[in-house]
Amino acid sequence: MTTKTPPTAILVEGLEKSFDDLHVLRGVDLAVSPGSIFALLGSNGAGKTTVIRILSTLLRADAGTATVAGYDVASRPAQVRESISLTGQFAAVDEILTGRENLVLVARLRHVVAPGAVADDLLARFSLTEAGSRRVSTYSGGMRRRLDIAMSLIGSPEVIFLDEPTTGLDPQARIEVWAAVKELASSGTTVLLTTQYLEEAEHLADRIAILHEGRILVDGTLAELKALLPPAEVEYVEKQPTLEDVFFTLTKERA
C-alpha cells in the first residue's frame, strides 16, 4: 500500500489571529508544495512567528483553516505534530552534551531505531563529524544552528518550520545554515522558513510570500516578484567590490 502525497504540504486559507485589540493576522492565504522551500518574508511584528505557531499547533487561530501534511491543525493536532519539526529563533541544544550526544538523546526520545547510527549519519550530512565528540559549548553559532537543524530531522518529518534560522549569526555562519537548509529540501523535506533578510529569501526560496501588517501582499517565485517592478535600466558603471566580497576574501586568506 502506497501513501498518497498531498498536493500541498501546507495550505492556509483566511487565517486570522488577534491578541486583545491587536490584529496580528488579517486573513492569510498561502500554499506550499511538497519538497519545496517557501520563505515567509516580513519585518518584525508582521505576524510571521504567529503563522508558524498556528501551523505547529502551539496556538489556535481565531478564524480560517490550515492543513499541514494533509491534516487539519485544529481538529487533528496530534497527527500534525507527528508530521512536523519546529526550529525556533534560538538553537535548542544542550551545551553540556556533545553534538553526537544531543542527536542520540533526541533519537531515543523519538524511539528511533539505531539512534547511534542516525546520529552519525546526520553529523556527516551537516559536516559536523569532526566536532561530534566535542561539547556543544565549544561550537560556533553556525555549528550550533546546523546541529539544531540536524536534530529537527530525526524521525524524518515531512515538514520543517524554521523560524528566522539565522537571527544573530555572522555572515559565515549564515552561509553554513543556508547550505543546511538546501540539504533539507534536496532530501524531499518541505521547508517553511520565516525571515526578515531579503537576501536570505532570495538565495534559498522556491517561492516567497511577503507578509505585511498581517496580510500577504504578494506570493510567487523570485522572477515573478521581480516582474512586478518596471524593467531595470541598463547602465555601464565601474563595479566595486561589495562588503561581502571583502569579508570572505580576507577571512579565507587568514584561514
Side-chain angles (χ1 to χ4, degrees), residues 55-192:
L55 293 178
S56 57
T57 75
L58 297 176
L59 188 67
R60 291 187 70 90
D62 296 333
T65 61
T67 60
V68 177
Y71 301 110
D72 185 276
V73 299
S75 62
R76 304 187 71 182
Q79 287 83 358
V80 171
R81 293 179 194 128
E82 291 175 354
S83 305
I84 68 170
S85 188
L86 169 63
T87 298
Q89 296 181 17
F90 303 98
V93 294
D94 191 318
E95 296 191 352
I96 297 176
L97 301 178
T98 67
R100 188 177 188 276
E101 287 170 343
N102 269 276
L103 291 165
V104 169
L105 175 62
V106 173
R108 286 176 174 168
L109 290 173
R110 295 186 178 177
H111 307 290
V112 173
V113 176
V118 170
D120 291 336
D121 175 64
L122 287 169
L123 288 171
R125 284 179 62 184
F126 288 91
S127 303
L128 291 169
T129 299
E130 292 185 3
S133 60
R134 286 167 37 199
R135 285 191 176 187
V136 174
S137 59
T138 68
Y139 283 18
S140 66
M143 292 169 68
R144 292 183 190 203
R145 210 45 161 145
R146 276 155 43 209
L147 177 63
D148 195 24
I149 294 173
M151 290 165 62
S152 71
L153 269 182
I154 294 174
S156 301
E158 296 178 49
V159 178
I160 290 184
F161 298 113
L162 302 177
D163 192 11
E164 301 198 20
T166 62
T167 296
L169 297 184
D170 61 49
Q172 181 60 48
R174 185 169 292 140
I175 295 297
E176 293 174 1
V177 173
W178 287 357
V181 174
K182 286 186 173 182
E183 167 69 18
L184 295 181
S186 68
S187 65
T189 304
T190 303
V191 179
L192 173 59

Side-chain angles (χ1 to χ4, degrees), residues 223-255:
E224 289 170 345
L225 298 191
K226 286 185 174 181
L228 297 174
L229 300 182
E233 296 182 4
V234 178
E235 296 182 357
Y236 295 94
V237 297
E238 181 180 353
K239 184 179 183 299
Q240 297 294 328
T242 65
L243 181 58
E244 185 178 81
D245 295 331
V246 174
F247 177 88
F248 285 111
T249 299
L250 293 178
T251 53
K252 285 180 181 178
E253 288 177 355
R254 287 162 173 74

Side-chain angles (χ1 to χ4, degrees), residues 24 26 41-43 45-47 209-217:
V24 179
R26 301 168 180 262
L41 180 64
S43 58
I210 297 178
L211 182 65
H212 181 67
E213 294 182 348
R215 291 188 175 94
I216 299 291
L217 300 183

Side-chain angles (χ1 to χ4, degrees), residues 195-206:
T195 183
Q196 57 183 311
Y197 300 123
L198 279 68
E199 182 187 10
E200 186 159 276
E202 184 172 355
H203 186 82
L204 290 175
D206 299 304

